[in-house]
Amino acid sequence: SLSVPSGDSSTFGGEGGDTADSVRGSYEERLERFTHLRTEERRRGRTLGRARSAAFVVAGLLGLGADVAGGPVALALAVAGSVTFILFLGLVFRHRYVRRRERWFGELAEVNDIALRRLARDWPAMPEPRPMEAAPGHPYAADLDVMGRASLFRLCTTITTPPGAATLRDWLLTPAPPGEVRLRQEAIQELAPRVDFRQELNARGRLSEPPDPASLSRFLEWAEGTPWLATSPWLRWASWILPLLTVGLTAAYVQGSIAYPFWLISLGVAFALDNLRRERIHADMDAASGGQGGFARYATLLDLVLGMEATSPALMEIQESVRSSPVGAVEELRRLGRLVGWADTRFNGLVHAPLQALLVWDLHVLAALDR
């Protein structure tokens, strides 16, 4: 079931059961269709590329003409140049969209091409999986060709994520209780005929670069540890009191209620607070940023898993794990991404300095990340 999906007649065109020929024919038809769609998008992309270049040149010439001409002619040329430049921007966004579609159909075509190689057991032409080996002296890995070049692991592997590959390896090398085996078989039987879902999951994974293991390790160490900021409540109080104090003292100084700019003191304390704990605060922000960069690549995969219709207990359990928070894993990743974007303002001195002085920005962002 893992290497040659069995499906109903509506999927593969068979009656009462699928043969290798019907499965091969299905993959060949899909390969031809997605290759054609990729070619069409590539053709559209070339046309749009030429059109956006022409629009840019025309907008530039109209702008030069408006600068040289005078009176109503200059105004007309300026308006025409502005409209042409807006058209250029629209073509840029459209071109990017078409390029994404071209790559998407290309990945789907490649998925079906690989499926045909797997059916043919064309080992030299099949992609090499990530290097994984059985432990020395494993009781059956070598005898049954479970791992290695022409192996069951390589035949079954359409996996695109490191954790997925490790899970498959462990399933093939570690005996499972009979009840667990039946649950896995039920899930495989449910997924086998759902070619569109499986290939979309595969293609989305292929478009996601594998995350950096070191960054993920730092992220997990931070995320699963005790929030450092929770052990320093005085910092949280300071992050709220100092901005209010700055606003109040500034208002009093502007109104003449106080004679001296005491608000400069609260600003100075905010800067001093940032310098005092900057190394620790930014280390936690870096850890969060590295994890978000890695896990965000899985968001589209998790989104697809959430949308699948699952009836087997094993697949339903996976869906529930993705829904483990009140808003679900996909939305949690989006929220993490927004917070990491706020944290990354520390790399822009012109923006970060006033935010830090007025709001004690880093402490508020880190508190949000901890939550």
Side-chain angles (χ1 to χ4, degrees):
S1 295
L2 284 168
S3 58
V4 184
S6 59
D8 56 19
S9 58
S10 64
T11 303
F12 290 109
E15 294 183 8
D18 297 306
T19 65
D21 288 339
S22 66
V23 174
R24 184 178 296 105
S26 173
Y27 286 142
E28 289 172 346
E29 182 275 327
R30 296 171 72 87
L31 173 60
E32 182 179 357
R33 173 156 48 95
F34 292 129
T35 301
H36 173 72
L37 290 171
R38 177 184 59 186
T39 302
E40 287 295 306
E41 294 301 328
R42 182 175 296 168
R43 180 184 58 79
R44 292 190 185 96
R46 289 171 180 166
T47 301
L48 286 168
R50 289 191 289 267
R52 61 182 274 189
S53 298
F56 182 79
V57 171
V58 171
L61 292 175
L62 289 171
L64 289 174
D67 188 54
V68 173
V73 175
L75 178 61
L77 290 174
V79 171
S82 300
V83 171
T84 307
F85 186 73
I86 293 173
L87 174 63
F88 163 74
L89 294 178
L91 289 171
V92 168
F93 287 113
R94 180 64 180 176
H95 192 208
R96 289 178 180 175
Y97 171 75
V98 169
R99 292 291 298 273
R100 287 197 300 270
R101 282 176 58 86
E102 177 190 343
R103 188 180 179 192
W104 172 247
F105 289 130
E107 292 295 343
L108 287 172
E110 182 68 14
V111 165
N112 284 276
D113 186 44
I114 293 172
L116 289 169
R117 300 178 202 169
R118 293 167 66 218
L119 281 177
R121 307 298 192 264
D122 187 357
W123 302 109
M126 288 167 59
E128 289 282 352
R130 293 178 178 86
M132 287 192 174
E133 298 296 335
H138 190 279
Y140 60 80
D143 292 341
L144 299 182
D145 290 326
V146 177
M147 307 297 291
R149 176 181 172 276
S151 65
L152 182 62
F153 176 79
R154 190 177 179 196
L155 183 65
C156 293
T157 295
T158 58
I159 296 168
T160 55
T161 65
T167 299
L168 177 60
R169 176 200 59 194
D170 294 342
W171 283 7
L172 294 176
L173 295 176
T174 306
E180 178 65 25
V181 171
R182 283 191 291 270
L183 289 176
R184 293 176 188 174
Q185 289 175 340
E186 290 175 11
I188 290 169
Q189 289 169 357
E190 181 176 350
L191 289 174
R194 296 166 67 174
V195 183
D196 287 336
F197 171 82
R198 292 188 292 102
Q199 291 196 348
E200 183 175 356
L201 190 70
N202 193 351
R204 288 191 186 189
R206 288 170 58 87
L207 289 171
S208 303
E209 294 294 328
D212 174 46
S215 296
L216 290 186
S217 178
R218 288 194 298 271
F219 172 81
L220 292 174
E221 182 180 354
W222 165 75
E224 296 174 353
T226 302
W228 162 76
L229 203 53
T231 63
S232 303
W234 67 274
L235 285 173
R236 295 290 294 117
W237 282 105
S239 69
W240 288 104
I241 292 173
L242 284 172
L244 295 175
L245 192 60
T246 299
V247 171
L249 291 173
T250 302
Y253 179 72
V254 171
Q255 292 176 354
S257 301
I258 56 176
Y260 300 100
F262 291 116
W263 53 271
L264 291 174
I265 297 176
S266 60
L267 287 181
V269 172
F271 270 118
L273 197 63
D274 178 52
N275 289 327
L276 181 66
R277 298 294 186 180
R278 177 181 298 176
E279 185 175 344
R280 180 57 192 266
I281 292 172
H282 287 192
D284 283 357
M285 287 181 172
D286 289 340
S289 179
Q292 188 272 337
F295 286 115
R297 299 182 175 98
Y298 295 154
T300 58
L301 301 176
L302 296 176
D303 202 19
L304 188 62
V305 169
L306 275 175
M308 72 176 176
E309 296 181 3
T311 58
S312 64
L315 295 180
M316 292 173 67
E317 182 180 352
I318 291 174
Q319 280 189 321
E320 287 305 312
S321 69
V322 179
R323 296 192 188 100
S324 57
S325 81
V327 297
V330 177
E331 181 56 30
E332 292 287 11
L333 285 170
R334 294 193 182 108
R335 288 168 58 177
L336 178 60
R338 288 193 292 270
L339 291 173
V340 166
W342 294 351
D344 286 347
T345 59
R346 66 189 186 277
F347 300 122
N348 187 333
L350 293 177
V351 175
H352 181 257
L355 285 175
Q356 182 62 26
L358 295 173
L359 303 174
V360 197
W361 178 259
D362 286 351
L363 286 175
H364 288 292
V365 174
L366 181 58
L369 285 168
D370 283 344
R371 287 194 298 272

